[in-house]
């Protein structure tokens, strides 16, 4: 944060009027006093922003809206939301409360891997469903009726017996912890055949392809076709892979150029608040309340591919 502030002071002395950056939200703490510069930050956190800053990252509000619109469109009911007990969880809680969509239940889970499985078992009522199965098997084993024998054979293929109290799950997490949660659901005998699983933007992380529990996982994301083209072009130009947010920096530069071009090579912050919004490589977006609200698309993990489903 201190280095960002010193750099901003130097830019101000040089007469710079607009900056793409900083990347991290914590670096914005001190730049509120830099009055003559507009910062288009690549952070995806849109709370407590300085007045001179636009948060341009793929924020939780845009992701939640894309997911809940899809849930409503598909008439999916009894959806539960899982949020980690973390700083991220504290940030997203007010956004969830302001969202029009009402989740069936919301759970805050412990991020400690040793406690996580037990919490998922509780959410899925795993122990009771396991008891139900064992009890039913014992009853059927005592019967000589043909129909009971057939039922017994079917039950021997199952791990649990009984319904779960939800039909879809939204997991507000990322990376390895997301994989652990999905694996815990599978361990609790709740697969994607019994419930639909959703998560947040993962920047098309292909390591999800290697997890059986990730199959049919549904998630919001930017325009994948343009993202693939951008990454190929970036590698051709620089001989190294593009970090994901590079496409946001590219679109931020296009946005600045648009403002310059339409205002005799001068940048005016007011031009960013175009009610019709903009369209960049990463997709459509509109600037409101000092952050970029994106129109994200919905994808599904399907046979080692991300397939657009909306």
């Amino acid at each position: 944060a201190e280095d960002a502030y010193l750099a901003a002071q130097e830019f101000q002395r040089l007469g710079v009027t607009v900056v793409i950056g900083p990347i991290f939200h914590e670096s914005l703490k001190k730049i509120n006093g830099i009055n003559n510069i507009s910062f288009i930050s690549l952070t995806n956190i849109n709370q407590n922003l300085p007045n001179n800053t636009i948060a341009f990252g793929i924020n939780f509000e845009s992701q939640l809206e894309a997911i809940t619109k899809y849930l409503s469109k598909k008439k999916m009911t009894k959806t539960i939301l899982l949020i980690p007990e973390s700083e991220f969880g504290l940030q997203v809680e007010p956004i969830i409360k302001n969202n029009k969509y009402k989740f069936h239940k919301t759970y805050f889970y412990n991020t400690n891997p040793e406690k996580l499985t037990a919490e998922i078992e509780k959410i899925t009522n795993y122990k009771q469903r396991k008891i139900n199965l064992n009890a039913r098997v014992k009853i059927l084993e005592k019967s000589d009726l043909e129909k009971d024998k057939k039922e017994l054979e079917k039950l021997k293929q199952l791990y649990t017996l009984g319904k779960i109290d939800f039909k879809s799950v939204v997991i507000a997490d990322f990376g390895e912890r997301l994989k652990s949660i999905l694996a815990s659901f599978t361990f609790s005998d709740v697969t994607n055949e019994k419930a639909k699983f959703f998560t947040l933007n993962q920047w098309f992380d292909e390591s999800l392809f290697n997890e059986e529990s990730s199959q049919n996982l549904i998630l919001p994301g930017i325009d994948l076709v343009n993202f693939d083209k951008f990454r190929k072009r970036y590698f051709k130009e620089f001989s190294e892979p593009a970090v994901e947010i590079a496409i946001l920096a590219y679109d931020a530069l296009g946005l600045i150029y648009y403002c310059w071009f339409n205002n005799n090579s001068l940048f005016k912050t007011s031009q960013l608040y175009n009610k019709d919004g903009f369209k960049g490589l990463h997709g459509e977006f509109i600037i409101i309340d000092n952050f970029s609200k994106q129109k994200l698309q919905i994808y599904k993990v399907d046979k080692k591919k991300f397939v657009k489903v909306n």
Side-chain angles (χ1 to χ4, degrees):
E2 183 64 27
D3 288 343
Y5 177 66
L6 293 175
Q9 284 186 314
E10 177 63 17
F11 291 151
Q12 189 168 235
R13 283 194 291 271
L14 293 171
V16 171
T17 57
V18 59
V19 170
I20 299 176
I23 294 175
F24 301 110
H25 187 268
E26 63 182 21
S27 298
L28 302 176
K29 292 175 182 177
K30 296 188 67 174
I31 64 173
N32 199 29
I34 308 296
N35 298 317
N36 301 322
I37 299 180
S38 295
F39 296 89
I40 301 181
S41 173
L42 303 183
T43 178
N44 62 356
I45 300 173
N46 54 14
Q47 288 93 13
N48 302 316
L49 294 169
N51 293 330
N52 58 358
T53 301
I54 303 293
F56 205 64
I58 309 300
N59 54 74
F60 179 76
E61 185 165 341
S62 298
Q63 297 176 63
L64 182 64
E65 183 169 304
I67 292 169
T68 53
K69 278 186 175 180
Y70 181 83
L71 289 168
S72 297
K73 179 181 177 182
K74 298 297 181 179
K75 295 182 171 57
M76 291 186 181
T77 58
K78 300 193 80 172
T79 302
I80 63 172
L81 174 65
L82 272 62
I83 307 170
E85 291 177 348
S86 63
E87 185 178 344
F88 172 72
L90 293 174
Q91 291 167 359
V92 303
E93 190 174 5
I95 299 172
I96 293 163
K97 288 180 178 178
N98 290 332
N99 190 276
K100 294 178 182 178
Y101 186 89
K102 300 302 178 187
F103 288 94
H104 176 55
K105 289 180 181 178
T106 299
Y107 297 95
F108 287 84
Y109 59 87
N110 195 304
T111 57
N112 185 331
E114 295 179 359
K115 296 181 179 179
L116 183 59
T117 299
E119 293 199 8
I120 299 301
E121 284 185 2
K122 187 176 180 180
I123 291 169
T124 59
N125 198 26
Y126 172 73
K127 290 182 178 179
Q128 183 59 54
R129 290 186 296 123
K130 190 73 174 175
I131 291 170
N132 293 345
L133 178 64
N134 292 334
R136 184 61 181 164
V137 166
K138 286 182 179 180
I139 291 171
L140 294 174
E141 284 177 335
K142 297 175 182 178
S143 174
D144 291 327
L145 295 176
E146 191 61 31
K147 67 179 183 64
D148 289 343
K149 290 180 179 180
K150 289 181 179 179
E151 183 183 346
L152 181 60
E153 286 303 310
K154 289 181 180 180
L155 291 185
K156 285 181 177 180
Q157 308 301 315
L158 304 180
Y159 297 101
T160 61
L161 183 64
K163 294 182 179 180
I164 50 177
D165 187 36
F166 53 88
K167 295 181 180 178
S168 50
V169 184
V170 178
I171 305 168
D173 220 327
F174 311 91
E176 293 306 313
R177 203 157 63 205
L178 168 65
K179 295 173 188 175
S180 294
I181 296 167
L182 290 169
S184 292
F185 271 100
T186 300
F187 179 80
S188 299
D189 196 30
V190 179
T191 63
N192 54 43
E193 294 175 350
K194 295 181 179 180
K196 300 291 185 183
F197 286 89
F198 295 78
T199 189
L200 303 181
N201 171 46
Q202 306 291 316
W203 285 107
F204 306 108
D205 178 5
E206 293 186 0
S207 69
L208 291 168
F209 297 162
N210 303 323
E211 309 291 330
E212 184 63 32
S213 57
S214 300
Q215 298 310 302
N216 296 313
L217 180 65
I218 303 170
L219 65 164
I222 65 171
D223 188 311
L224 180 55
V225 173
N226 284 346
F227 190 40
D228 283 339
K229 290 179 181 177
F230 176 83
R231 286 187 288 190
K232 288 176 183 176
R233 183 179 171 190
Y234 189 101
F235 190 83
K236 184 178 179 181
E237 293 285 343
F238 301 110
S239 300
E240 62 181 40
V243 295
E244 290 84 355
I245 59 173
I247 194 170
L248 300 179
Y250 183 92
D251 280 348
L253 187 59
L255 183 62
I256 293 166
Y257 175 75
Y258 167 84
C259 293
W260 278 340
F261 185 81
N262 288 281
N263 196 43
N264 298 318
S265 299
L266 295 174
F267 179 81
K268 290 181 67 175
T269 307
S270 59
Q271 289 181 285
L272 298 176
Y273 293 90
N274 185 326
K275 65 179 181 179
D276 296 322
F278 304 92
K279 187 172 184 178
L281 281 187
H282 75 283
E284 297 178 30
F285 61 94
I286 186 169
I287 307 294
I288 54 171
D289 298 331
N290 284 54
F291 72 94
S292 173
K293 189 173 183 182
Q294 299 96 6
K295 186 178 180 181
L296 300 174
Q297 300 175 7
I298 297 291
Y299 299 88
K300 180 174 73 171
V301 177
D302 184 18
K303 298 176 182 176
K304 297 190 179 297
K305 288 183 180 180
F306 290 103
V307 178
K308 187 179 173 183
V309 294
N310 67 328

